[in-house]
Amino acid sequence: MAESICRALRDGALQGELAPTLTIKDNINSPFGFHAFSHVLTQLSSNILAGKSQSRGLVLLSFSRSPAYYVQLLKKRGLNVGSSAKWIQILDCYTDPLGWKQRFMEGENVSNVDQEVSNLSHLCTNVGDMDKLFSSIITLGKGFVGEGTVRFCVAVDSVTNMLRHSSISALAGLLSSLRSNDSVSSTFWLVHEDLHEEKVIAALEYMSSIVATLEALTPPPYESRSNVDNSYLERRSTKGRFHVRIKRRNGRVRVISEDFNVELAGIKFTSISSEDAVINQVLIPKVQFNLQLSEKELNDRARVVLPFEHQGTGKPIQIYDGRRSLSESKDDNIPLMSNEKGNDDGWGKGEIVYFRDSDDEMPDSDEDPDDDLDI
């Protein structure tokens, strides 16, 4: 399921459509959202380097981690950072987000990083200005994309930190502008949902085509916390459930889930175990109808005699629709209504005879009787 998210971001947007957007949500009970964000980031970076992605570059807005951290992360995952300047640019919103260090350290290097990191990162000293931030993102994207139709991806490691310096309306305007920009292939971000109001999370989900939620695995409700030993808590502390809601282009919504486990090498996703699947199946509410038919029901339905099939003595039934057939029109002298039994079935033939009430009554015609009215 996590791979399906990466494929959706890898494939990008169709011409004239908004870019696919992923929102990753976590909370204090399951604080592993950054691990999921790192997984998506490395998978998408690998596809970009292999030429399998619609985007040919990546612009990363780093709010919660330094640019040096992401360079080391990409190196650990086996990605060639030496050529990173051609496909990734990091907008450093972590080192000096408000420009205080630059103001008090005039003439000195604020970031203080090595040459490799400095070639990839660009310092941002006013993260509250959404217009300037948008301009910086587009400028960095065009730097390695060029003037053609090639697109780039945008990643934000913490929308929560962005909301510390900006309002939700300004942030929503920035994210909407990125989605609708022709140069942006896809976007994804991380947010800590328990630190914001419900309307903030609802606004972010509304702008997202994919919403991923990390849920902690808790003890069963019938077990008190005192009955749960420490080994259970230690075993469950790094595990959880990964729920994904995908809005498709045709308007349908697909909801899927799988388990995750955070290890030293990173987060690992696995399908839900059979035991948990049985529990989920039991919890599904029972309905009073079934859209599927069993083999016995299919056979019973085939043996049902329909109303127009139980007449006659086994001969083919001909349903008369009120019109005269070609064989009947050959001899117009034969009356259509007779009291005598004219056929084997003992039934006569009939017709409808209409008599006008008076000679003044005009026959039916296609003329409008109110055509002479001047309205």
Side-chain angles (χ1 to χ4, degrees):
M1 179 192 59
E3 301 305 322
S4 62
I5 296 177
C6 297
R7 285 196 300 268
L9 298 178
R10 178 198 66 187
D11 297 339
L14 297 178
Q15 187 67 27
E17 291 187 355
L18 296 176
T21 304
L22 167 65
T23 294
I24 303 175
K25 302 187 304 178
D26 68 351
N27 50 62
I28 191 172
N29 295 324
S30 183
F32 305 114
F34 186 77
H35 294 81
F37 177 86
S38 301
H39 177 80
V40 175
L41 177 66
T42 53
Q43 290 294 321
L44 187 58
S45 300
S46 177
N47 291 326
I48 292 175
L49 283 175
K52 300 178 181 179
S53 175
Q54 184 190 53
S55 58
R56 290 296 179 263
L58 174 66
V59 176
L60 172 62
L61 279 68
S62 61
F63 281 87
S64 62
R65 302 289 193 281
S66 65
Y69 174 86
Y70 288 105
V71 172
Q72 294 299 324
L73 175 65
L74 296 176
K75 286 183 177 180
K76 290 180 180 179
R77 300 301 170 85
L79 299 177
N80 186 7
V81 187
S83 60
S84 299
K86 298 180 181 180
W87 64 273
I88 184 172
Q89 293 293 318
I90 303 176
L91 189 58
D92 184 8
C93 303
Y94 172 83
T95 304
D96 192 15
L98 300 178
W100 292 353
K101 294 181 180 180
Q102 190 179 41
R103 185 181 308 172
F104 293 105
M105 299 173 61
E106 297 181 358
E108 299 183 14
N109 188 2
V110 177
S111 58
N112 192 20
V113 294
D114 55 17
Q115 186 65 28
E116 184 181 38
V117 178
S118 63
N119 292 335
L120 306 178
S121 63
H122 304 269
L123 187 63
C124 180
T125 58
N126 188 8
V127 296
D129 190 349
M130 295 292 104
D131 294 335
K132 185 176 180 181
L133 198 61
F134 175 78
S135 178
S136 300
I137 295 172
I138 299 302
T139 301
L140 291 178
K142 290 184 177 180
F144 51 76
V145 170
E147 299 297 335
T149 58
V150 181
R151 303 188 179 191
F152 62 93
C153 178
V154 179
V156 183
D157 64 355
S158 180
V159 171
T160 299
N161 288 1
M162 293 183 68
L163 289 173
R164 295 174 58 186
H165 310 285
S166 177
S167 62
I168 181 59
S169 59
L171 175 61
L174 170 65
L175 299 179
S176 298
S177 299
L178 291 175
R179 287 196 66 194
S180 58
N181 192 279
D182 294 335
S183 300
V184 177
S185 171
S186 59
T187 58
F188 62 99
W189 53 72
L190 170 65
V191 61
H192 308 301
E193 62 175 340
D194 53 347
L195 298 180
H196 304 282
E197 298 179 1
E198 293 183 0
K199 62 180 182 180
V200 175
I201 303 301
L204 295 175
E205 292 182 356
Y206 178 79
M207 294 184 293
S208 305
S209 57
I210 307 174
V211 178
T213 305
L214 288 89
E215 179 184 279
L217 291 181
T218 57
Y222 52 82
E223 292 186 11
S224 61
R225 194 167 185 83
S226 59
N227 295 332
V228 181
D229 55 1
N230 293 331
S231 61
Y232 179 88
L233 297 177
E234 293 176 358
R235 187 170 63 255
R236 295 288 181 172
S237 60
T238 59
K239 295 183 179 181
R241 186 65 50 81
F242 194 63
H243 303 285
V244 177
R245 187 177 76 249
I246 302 176
K247 292 185 287 188
R248 299 184 179 275
R249 290 187 175 96
N250 56 8
R252 295 184 177 181
V253 178
R254 181 187 179 191
V255 180
I256 48 181
S257 303
E258 65 181 359
D259 294 332
F260 72 85
N261 184 24
V262 178
E263 302 175 354
L264 293 178
I267 189 170
K268 302 295 182 181
F269 297 95
T270 57
S271 59
I272 298 178
S273 61
S274 59
E275 179 181 355
D276 294 338
V278 172
I279 295 176
N280 292 336
Q281 186 69 24
V282 173
L283 295 178
I284 295 177
K286 297 184 180 300
V287 295
Q288 302 298 327
F289 59 89
N290 184 14
L291 299 179
Q292 305 295 332
L293 296 178
S294 63
E295 184 177 357
K296 180 180 181 301
E297 292 172 338
L298 291 175
N299 295 331
D300 293 342
R301 186 180 67 174
R303 288 196 297 266
V304 173
V305 180
L306 299 179
F308 59 87
E309 294 179 343
H310 68 271
Q311 304 174 8
T313 57
K315 299 180 181 180
I317 302 300
Q318 297 180 357
I319 301 176
Y320 179 64
D321 60 357
R323 294 175 295 183
R324 301 174 63 184
S325 62
L326 293 177
S327 60
E328 295 172 347
S329 61
K330 292 181 180 179
D331 190 1
D332 292 335
N333 296 325
I334 301 176
L336 294 178
M337 191 172 196
S338 175
N339 294 329
E340 299 179 358
K341 298 182 179 180
N343 51 25
D344 297 338
D345 296 334
W347 296 97
K349 302 177 181 178
E351 66 177 359
I352 298 176
V353 181
Y354 172 72
F355 297 96
R356 290 184 297 186
D357 294 339
S358 65
D359 295 336
D360 296 335
E361 183 179 350
M362 299 297 295
D364 295 338
S365 64
D366 296 334
E367 297 180 0
D368 187 2
D370 299 330
D371 192 26
D372 57 341
L373 296 179
D374 186 8
I375 301 177

